[in-house]
Every structure is written in C-alpha cells, then in structure tokens.
Amino acid sequence: MKRGVDDLALFGGHAEFDQTLLVGRPSTGDRTKLYERLDRALDNGRLTGGGMLVREFEDRIAHMAGTRHCIAVCNATAALEVIIRAQNLHGEIIIPSMTFIATAHAVRYMGATPVFADIDPVTGTIDPDHVETLITPHTTAIIGVHLWGQPCDVDRLADIAHRHNLTLVYDAAHGIGCSHGPTPIGGFGHAEVFSFNATKVVNSFEGGAIVTNDDDFALRVRQAHNFGFIAPGLIGGLGTNAKMSEASGAMGLTSLDVFDEVVAHNKAGYDLYRDLLAGLPGLTVHAYDPRHRNNFQYVVVKVDQDHAGLHRDVLLDVLRAENVYALMYFSPACHQLEPYRSEHPVTLPHTERLAEQVIALPTGPATTSSDIHRVCEIVRFAIEHSAEIAAQWQDNQPETAEQLVSSHGEA
Ligand code: T4K
C-alpha cells in the first residue's frame, strides 16, 4: 500500500511484487499430457516432417478456424514469408503500421515494400478508406492485422481487394479463437496466419499456422514450407524449411487442451481490470466489440496524458519499478522504426496517437485476481498523484547529451 509518492519503487520505495508479473508468461497446460505426447514422438522416432502430433494439431486448428486447410509452421513470421513467396507477391504490399514489427519485416525481407496504412481510431485495425488511397499500379496485396484479436473490417477489405485484383492475407497472430460476428477468424481473405509463440494464448514454444479454404493455395504453401517437395525426391519449385517440429506439436496440443479455461481466466481478468480502473481520468481500458469473440489475451490500457496528468512512459516506469513488467504493444509503430522511418517517412495520425498511449497489462494463467487488484491499486495511485509523480519523474531523468554539454561546458 503506497501512502505517498516516495513509497513508489520508482522513487526508492519497496517494490509491490517480489516476483516480476509478466504479460507473456506462457500457458503450458498439463505437463503429464505434454510428457506423454513427447514420449510418443520419441518412441515412434518421427520428430518432424509430417509426424502424428503436428497432423493432429493441424486438424484441431483447422476445426477451430473453420477452414479446410491448416499448415503448421515454425513461427508466424516464417508463415508470412512463405505466403509472400508462394503467392509471388512483389512491389508494394499495404499493411497497418500498428502491428508487431514482424508483419513489416516479413514483407520487406521477401523483397517487397511495405506501404503503411493508418488505423480506425476506435479499434486500432487497418482503415479500409486509407488503404484504398494507397493503391498504386505496383500494389500486389493487402495484409490486414487482427490487432489484439479484433477482426479487421473484413467485408470492406474483401471488396477493395476484389475490385483491384489484389491478394488479401490476414496476419491473425493474435486471432486464434476469435471471430468476426459468428464466423471464426481463419477463413477470411486468401489465407490467414496464426502465431503460437510462447507468449500467445496457444503456445507451441515457437510456432504458427497458415489456414485457408483455397485448395490450390494450400498445396503450394504446403510444398513451399517443406523445401518445395511434392513427393519424396520430387521438387515442384522453390521452397524453404518452415516446418513445425513434433515437440512444438506436443506443446501446441497440450496448450489447446486448456484453451477454453485460459480464455475464461483471461476474460475474468479483463473484466476485473476494466471494473477496477473505471472512472480514472485519462485512462481507458480498450473495449472489445461484443459482436465479435475475443480471446482476451491482451488487456490494453490507453493513457491520454492531457487528462491523466502523466505520460504513458511515466506510468510504465512506475509499473516496471514495482515489478509489473507491462509492455507497449505496439509502440513505436512500425513506420516509426528502422529501416522504414528513414527510407519512407510517413505521418499516420491515428496510429501515432494510439502508439503513444498503449500499455499492455499482465494477463494469462499466471496472473491472479489478487495480482490484478494490486496492479490496479498502483495505477489508481499513480493517476491520483499524477502531477507530483510526473514532476519527480522529470527531475530524475538523465540529462540529455545537449544538456550535459551546456551545463559542463565544452572541453
Ligand atoms: N504478427 C503479429 C501481429 C505479432 O504480434 C507477431 C508476434 C507476429 C506477427 C510474429 O509471430 P511469431 O513469428 O513470433 O510467431 C512477443 C512475441 O515474441 C511475438 O511472438 C509476439 N507477436 C509479440 C507481440 O510479443 P516480444 O519481443 O515482446 O517478446 P519477448 O520475448 O520479449 O516476450 C514478452 C514477454 O513475455 C516478456 O516480458 C517475458 C514473457 N515471456 C516470453 C517468453 C518468450 C515469458 O514469460 N516466457 C517466454 O518463454 O515479442
């Protein structure tokens, strides 16, 4: 319990948590089941390349996504790269800047140019109106991102892609178990990509999946993710190695077994955060549209400095000093990062505003309701004492190089 600003760990007080509270602590499920699956893989000797665990994982993901095909891969970044290559996407690809750097890097790494679109200020997902203004004769594709599991405006994007004859792909790294209305995320566009990184709601250590309803596309992607093999000894074309291993399949299946429980836990945590933080000036818990299903993997709060009295960075420092390792998903936005900001400087007002405000708070099975109460008490205390904290934070900032030169004089 903080009584005064000097009790904050940032200013020398005792940290609220002895052990760091994390945003991305993995959801690992039942270890006995995991070890049984690993034993089966080790006993049968097929550790990668078409093993039974990965096949079962693919079936279960396709079922959840409501798609005919699922190709499990080693991670979502590689999945995007495989799609870009398999679909021969080149020239310009329109993507949102409000995403993890992997979306932009996958495009660029494959030799195409990411063209950044602004976002809808309410949801934070790509703005179809802006997308349409960015289309040029060099545009080959749009990659929408279902930010924090919220569906993009899939109908508008499908219409734009259709009218301009563009490939439409979704980065659904956050989207497993989410939906657009009653329709699961997975079957929109030509293909969608899930991430099963350790920090995700479904975790396969590292991993991802490409899901699609397009038979021909699925075949090409399946070949491309396995060196281009059509059959043993027969190569159909260019490919890479983006296969998921059986160990990842074992973890993925075990994590999937507890998916419903984890989502229920996350939803309860989200509701608690929302209730406990209600009414604080300048602080909003990002709301998910109830018409769509969400997995509540991310609890995002937005700090509006003008009303909160302190900047997001100050609140982040306050939390981290208390051992609450909150994260900035996603800040800076991609267009504000290298190499993009130097090569193609652009201004995206809605993206920049959101990127300046976001903080993702700890969630997942390891975060208890008691943890959430304590985190919210810190946040509430910080907002209630914002003026004092902001002033003391400013005083504690290291001098900039310029200030050092002017205060110490040039040598
Ligand atoms: N598209 C989008 C929209 C994405 O968000 C992502 C990835 C991708 C594409 C690409 O997907 P992958 O190629 O990764 O499959 C993390 C994840 O590494 C990344 O997968 C995720 N999105 C992104 C949003 O978050 P970082 O740089 O924040 O990760 P890291 O390792 O710093 O972990 C975050 C926190 O999680 C740490 O504070 C500690 C905790 N943690 C992490 C790991 C790995 C654990 O407690 N245990 C762990 O094993 O990117």
Side-chain angles (χ1 to χ4, degrees):
M1 180 70 185
K2 312 286 176 190
R3 291 177 200 285
V5 164
D6 289 337
D7 287 344
L8 288 171
L10 186 62
F11 303 133
H14 185 73
E16 175 69 27
F17 291 90
D18 294 331
Q19 289 214 328
T20 307
L21 207 57
L22 295 165
V23 171
R25 187 95 192 263
S27 154
T28 45
D30 180 339
R31 275 186 205 198
T32 312
K33 280 193 184 172
L34 172 65
Y35 296 151
E36 274 168 20
R37 285 178 167 126
L38 288 169
D39 272 341
R40 269 163 55 203
L42 293 170
D43 288 345
N44 104 358
R46 168 60 72 170
L47 302 186
T48 186
M52 62 186 174
L53 296 174
V54 169
R55 280 210 303 272
E56 186 186 341
F57 185 67
E58 290 179 338
D59 287 348
R60 282 176 65 178
I61 294 296
H63 181 73
M64 276 177 88
T67 55
R68 274 207 298 280
H69 305 281
C70 170
I71 298 99
V73 288
C74 56
N75 60 60
T77 310
L80 289 169
E81 291 168 1
V82 165
I83 288 176
I84 290 166
R85 199 65 190 247
Q87 194 70 355
N88 190 24
L89 301 177
H90 47 83
E92 296 170 3
I93 299 181
I94 300 172
I95 65 169
S97 174
M98 188 64 189
T99 179
F100 190 55
I101 195 66
T103 320
H105 277 359
V107 170
R108 181 62 200 279
Y109 208 64
M110 289 291 103
T113 303
V115 174
F116 296 109
D118 211 347
I119 49 169
D120 173 319
V122 176
T123 62
T125 57
I126 194 165
D127 171 9
D129 287 330
H130 194 214
V131 167
E132 194 139 23
T133 67
L134 296 172
I135 295 171
T136 73
H138 306 292
T139 309
T140 56
I142 303 166
I143 302 181
V145 176
H146 301 309
L147 184 73
W148 310 322
Q150 308 165 105
C152 295
D153 189 339
V154 290
D155 296 331
R156 293 273 326 275
L157 291 171
D159 173 59
I160 294 169
H162 178 71
R163 279 190 286 107
H164 295 271
N165 195 24
L166 302 174
T167 293
L168 176 60
V169 172
Y170 287 104
D171 176 339
H174 308 168
I176 189 69
C178 300
S179 77
H180 175 262
T183 312
I185 282 181
F188 296 105
H190 286 87
E192 303 210 44
V193 165
F194 295 121
S195 170
F196 305 119
N197 172 266
T199 60
K200 294 292 192 292
V201 67
V202 173
N203 138 54
S204 66
F205 301 130
E206 287 275 5
I210 300 167
V211 285
T212 179
N213 284 316
D214 182 328
D215 300 344
D216 177 56
F217 183 77
L219 193 67
R220 278 186 288 124
V221 168
R222 194 169 280 290
Q223 289 168 11
H225 100 301
N226 183 24
F227 309 104
F229 276 113
I230 299 174
L234 190 61
I235 294 288
L238 203 57
T240 185
N241 180 2
K243 297 191 298 294
M244 178 182 271
S245 73
E246 287 289 277
S248 282
M251 183 73 259
L253 287 167
T254 310
S255 179
L256 268 183
D257 290 341
V258 292
F259 179 77
D260 289 342
E261 286 163 47
V262 172
V263 172
H265 179 92
N266 284 348
K267 167 83 168 71
Y270 172 88
D271 289 345
L272 190 58
Y273 272 120
R274 191 198 48 205
D275 293 349
L276 294 174
L277 296 176
L280 287 178
L283 196 117
T284 321
V285 176
H286 182 79
Y288 295 120
D289 184 336
R291 289 174 302 171
H292 313 305
R293 216 168 41 243
N294 199 282
N295 56 33
F296 296 94
Q297 177 175 199
Y298 296 108
V299 175
V300 177
V301 294
K302 295 176 270 192
V303 184
D304 178 349
Q305 180 178 12
D306 293 343
H307 296 98
L310 44 66
H311 190 269
R312 180 273 315 274
D313 292 351
V314 182
L315 184 57
L316 199 65
D317 280 358
V318 167
L319 288 168
R320 287 183 177 179
E322 302 294 341
N323 279 333
V324 178
Y325 205 75
L327 294 172
M328 296 186 291
Y329 286 153
F330 295 99
S331 179
C334 294
H335 75 287
Q336 299 171 310
L337 293 167
E338 296 297 349
Y340 312 106
R341 75 174 178 175
S342 299
E343 290 177 356
H344 301 285
V346 287
T347 304
L348 302 171
H350 294 310
T351 302
E352 284 158 30
R353 182 169 165 75
L354 184 60
E356 202 189 344
Q357 295 189 342
V358 283
I359 295 183
L361 292 173
T363 45
T367 307
T368 65
S369 64
S370 151
D371 293 334
I372 294 174
H373 275 275
R374 290 163 71 195
V375 171
C376 291
E377 247 179 56
I378 300 167
V379 174
R380 182 168 286 279
F381 181 89
I383 301 287
E384 283 169 359
H385 297 79
S386 59
E388 218 184 319
I389 291 171
Q392 203 157 325
W393 182 87
Q394 192 61 49
D395 288 347
N396 287 1
Q397 287 311 290
E399 291 175 288
T400 63
E402 261 173 27
Q403 285 168 331
L404 283 172
V405 169
S406 64
S407 62
H408 299 297
E410 277 170 290

